[in-house]
Amino acid sequence: MSKIAFITGATSGIGKACADKFAREGYDIIITGRRSDRLLQVKLELEKEYAIKVLTLCFDVRSREEVFKQVENLPVKWQDINILINNAGLALGKDLFDDADMDDWDTMMHTNVDGLLYVTRALLPLLKKTVHSHIINIGSVAGKEVYEAGNVYCASKFAVDAITKAMRIDLLKDGIKVTGIHPGAVETEFSIVRFKGDENKATAAYKGFTPLTAADIADTIYFTASLPPHVCINELVITCLQQAGTYYFFKQ
Ligand code: NDP
Ligand code: 8X3
């Protein structure tokens, strides 16, 4: 029987790359996101390319009710989940604390923190039943080191880091692995979203250096998920060669 990976935010970027990687490695995949057309497209592509099955779930991770409803309605054959990748997330705006839009703050905290909590709590009863299950949370270097105008995005990712550590401790008794992945700059739709569709600002974010790709992160995540049952990678901080921490870049 195939293993199952549940990946949030798989309509683009890191989540989509994870769906591709785990499908290539023979996993059946549950992919989530708010854009149903993209979910269907990913499903069709993966099922055509690999001999695996894909289940799409269209929901907003910020809705606790919706998250629990979706998980409660999972078909029985999709309930033996081995890997949960909590990836759905975003930054909105990059403004000094006194200029930032407070609605953006709410959206980031609700998505990056509340969403991750709801999805994990909803899936935990299933993860506890599966032998050797693994929760992988996508944090950020922004959750390790605050940078100017990063304020609440950084706070949300510091929270992801703390929650990841807390989960690892509290789920020790259940034998569930918990891993935090903390990437630096990865070229995805992240900056388009952050700068609200401003292509110039988004492109400038990756100018002068070679950023990580979503596939780099997916490969790393797969590595952490493919180790022997007794080995748990607690956390990995990953940047491209030209980045050190959140602030220092060697740009050419
Ligand atoms: P993308 O914008 O390419 O992908 C974000 C994904 O999250 C999309 O699939 C989106 O799906 C989903 N998502 C966002 N909000 C919600 C929501 N409310 N409900 C459900 N799904 C949602 O960005 P990345 O791939 O770069 O980002 C993935 C994760 O990686 C995020 O947590 C981000 O913070 C983190 N990260 C990114 C870095 C980077 O430089 N790119 C670096 C470090 C961490 P949809 O819009 O269809 O709902
Ligand atoms: C995304 C990386 O440095 O833009 O989490 O915050 S950064």
Side-chain angles (χ1 to χ4, degrees):
M1 209 174 70
S2 293
K3 288 185 176 180
I4 297 175
F6 187 113
I7 304 165
T8 68
T11 55
S12 80
I14 295 169
K16 188 175 174 201
C18 285
D20 187 84
K21 177 67 181 170
F22 279 78
R24 196 177 327 142
E25 300 293 343
Y27 278 74
D28 289 329
I29 312 287
I30 302 171
I31 51 172
T32 86
R34 291 164 299 174
R35 288 170 287 182
S36 56
D37 52 335
R38 295 263 196 120
L39 286 170
L40 184 60
Q41 196 187 333
V42 174
K43 174 183 165 69
L44 292 176
E45 281 169 16
L46 294 182
E47 288 186 342
K48 187 170 170 209
E49 184 79 15
Y50 310 110
I52 53 104
K53 288 275 167 228
V54 178
L55 178 71
T56 63
L57 299 180
C58 189
F59 65 90
D60 188 323
V61 294
R62 290 173 293 176
S63 165
R64 193 205 296 193
E65 198 187 351
E66 186 62 21
V67 168
F68 276 80
K69 198 173 91 192
Q70 293 280 346
V71 173
E72 275 158 22
N73 289 336
L74 270 178
V76 174
K77 66 176 180 182
W78 284 98
Q79 291 185 3
D80 295 333
I81 295 165
N82 302 84
I83 315 268
L84 163 61
I85 304 177
N86 276 312
N87 165 77
L90 79 174
L92 275 181
K94 194 175 182 183
D95 304 295
L96 297 181
F97 187 84
D98 42 345
D99 288 333
D101 181 331
M102 292 178 71
D103 289 337
D104 288 348
W105 287 358
D106 287 348
T107 305
M108 288 188 279
M109 294 303 284
H110 290 152
T111 309
N112 300 352
V113 183
D114 297 344
L116 181 147
L117 292 172
Y118 299 155
V119 171
T120 310
R121 274 297 293 267
L123 284 173
L124 258 178
L126 300 180
L127 291 165
K128 284 184 183 183
K129 282 190 200 152
T130 312
V131 184
H132 306 316
S133 57
H134 192 170
I135 298 169
I136 300 171
N137 294 333
I138 310 303
S140 171
V141 290
K144 295 289 181 183
E145 194 185 355
V146 176
Y147 56 88
E148 185 181 78
N151 45 70
V152 171
Y153 178 66
C154 294
S156 74
K157 291 298 184 176
F158 269 74
V160 170
D161 189 28
I163 291 162
T164 302
K165 288 170 175 151
M167 281 181 186
R168 192 176 309 111
I169 296 164
D170 290 353
L171 300 176
L172 262 184
K173 63 183 184 344
D174 301 294
I176 298 176
K177 291 189 195 184
V178 182
T179 297
I181 300 287
H182 302 283
V186 187
E187 192 162 10
T188 60
E189 293 178 17
F190 177 85
S191 291
I192 302 262
V193 171
R194 175 173 229 173
F195 298 115
K196 303 172 182 177
D198 185 329
E199 302 260 358
N200 291 332
K201 279 191 183 171
T203 309
Y206 308 108
K207 205 157 177 218
F209 68 104
T210 305
L212 295 167
T213 66
D216 295 328
I217 302 302
D219 287 348
T220 309
I221 290 170
Y222 183 75
F223 166 73
T224 70
S226 60
L227 294 168
H230 67 288
V231 182
C232 177
I233 299 276
N234 285 211
E235 60 180 8
L236 286 176
V237 179
I238 315 157
T239 65
C240 70
L241 183 59
Q242 288 165 276
Q243 180 177 12
T246 53
Y247 212 79
Y248 296 102
F249 287 84
F250 180 69
K251 294 189 180 176
Q252 287 170 310

